[in-house]
Amino acid sequence: SRNAQRHLAAARFGIELSFGPSKATKLIINARAETALEKASFTRASRHSRAVVPANGYFEWMAARSTAAKTPYFIRPRNDEVSSLGALCLEDKRSNKLSFVILTQAANSPLAAIHDRMPVFISDDILSAWLNEELSDPEETFSLLEAAQESTQATQFEFHEVTKAVGSPTFKSHEAIEATRG
């Protein structure tokens, strides 16, 4: 938000960052909420370019204990049609395009049985502050993120197994979020 106005913008999911002495690049799609404010890659974005990604849920893959097979699940907050996933916007220096990463935190129970991480959800009561670019003080930013994490931990979620076709980027169907039978 600029001057208390919200902006809708298209952005690429993930940013290419260089790491280590070899400067190898890696596509980063998530930022750990616990350390995002300390990481050089995300410090400025966490203070000046906070965003949300509207979503009716998200997909997560659960690894089987005995095999390499994974099972996809559709997860959403109970009794919530559209949620706001916490995100940070950055300009990808390689492409000069606006990119974003989703903030994640430790999964709450029972979601931890599916995956150990989950997105941070920005609740309606802190949404305006989260999107306010003028709120850039590190302590205030930390408090906002902490409030979002606490709210996310207290959220009840519903989830169900979905078709493995969701693993293909070309699969675009309402069946992506329907429960599999069987």
Side-chain angles (χ1 to χ4, degrees):
S1 111
R2 284 191 173 89
N3 302 325
Q5 291 185 354
R6 295 182 183 169
H7 296 274
L8 180 64
R12 176 181 179 218
F13 181 33
I15 184 165
E16 289 191 37
L17 296 175
S18 300
F19 291 96
S22 68
K23 297 290 184 197
T25 57
K26 183 176 181 182
L27 182 66
I28 305 298
I29 60 171
N30 297 325
R32 289 178 165 269
E34 300 89 340
T35 58
L37 301 181
E38 303 162 5
K39 299 283 184 183
S41 303
F42 302 120
T43 301
R44 182 166 174 72
S46 66
R47 292 177 55 201
H48 301 286
S49 300
R50 294 179 302 270
V52 293
V53 176
N56 64 346
Y58 69 100
F59 297 100
E60 196 58 77
W61 293 75
M62 181 171 77
R65 290 195 172 108
S66 59
T67 68
K70 291 186 174 185
T71 304
Y73 284 83
F74 178 69
I75 303 168
R76 58 171 284 153
R78 199 171 279 160
N79 303 323
D80 205 6
E81 288 191 25
V82 176
S83 298
S84 299
L85 305 182
L88 301 177
C89 284
L90 305 105
E91 187 168 322
D92 192 315
K93 291 179 179 152
R94 293 183 177 277
S95 66
N96 292 325
K97 291 189 178 179
L98 186 64
S99 298
F100 71 93
V101 294
I102 299 290
L103 288 162
T104 66
Q105 68 181 60
N108 68 6
S109 182
L111 295 184
I114 296 172
H115 196 274
D116 64 337
R117 306 289 296 172
M118 66 186 288
V120 173
F121 288 78
I122 306 300
S123 58
D124 289 346
D125 60 329
I126 66 166
L127 183 61
S128 290
W130 180 260
L131 295 175
N132 183 353
E133 287 181 344
E134 293 177 12
L135 191 156
S136 62
D137 177 76
E139 288 182 24
E140 290 181 80
T141 302
F142 178 80
S143 293
L144 271 178
L145 188 50
E146 199 171 57
Q149 288 179 270
E150 287 173 10
S151 175
T152 301
Q153 277 296 325
T155 300
Q156 292 186 349
F157 291 87
E158 55 188 37
F159 53 91
H160 54 263
E161 189 176 328
V162 295
T163 176
K164 290 187 180 191
V166 300
S168 168
T170 60
F171 181 71
K172 297 182 184 352
S173 168
H174 69 296
E175 294 171 6
I177 64 173
E178 291 177 0
T180 55
R181 293 183 175 88

